[in-house]
Amino acid sequence: NEEIRSMDDIVKEAIQQALDACNGRIGGPGGAAARLDMHPNTLRSRMIKLHIPFPGNKRSHNGSGLK
């Protein structure tokens, strides 16, 4: 039997691949948002929802400083 992955898992993988390909750049020309054909704020929102850390950000999304 073939395992069916959740949409969240598929979206998370696509975001991580785009961030890797763009060296962590979210917005601007050549950024991950452009590669994924979405607004940078939408990408940031999805990253928070899916617990994807922001590149270069040592703090968690809730500002606690814990990862």
Side-chain angles (χ1 to χ4, degrees):
N1 285 337
E2 199 174 310
E3 183 180 332
I4 298 175
R5 295 170 53 202
S6 72
M7 285 295 294
D8 281 351
D9 285 344
I10 294 167
V11 170
K12 185 173 184 174
E13 183 177 329
I15 290 172
Q16 290 173 324
Q17 287 177 350
L19 287 168
D20 289 344
C22 299
N23 296 316
R25 184 175 180 160
I26 293 173
R35 284 181 175 247
L36 295 168
D37 194 29
M38 65 172 56
H39 193 280
N41 288 341
T42 303
L43 176 55
R44 289 181 190 99
S45 177
R46 298 241 175 106
M47 289 172 67
I48 291 168
K49 176 185 179 230
L50 297 171
H51 305 286
I52 300 170
F54 284 77
N57 188 354
K58 293 181 174 40
R59 297 185 331 167
S60 67
H61 301 302
N62 65 10
S64 69
L66 302 175
K67 282 192 170 184

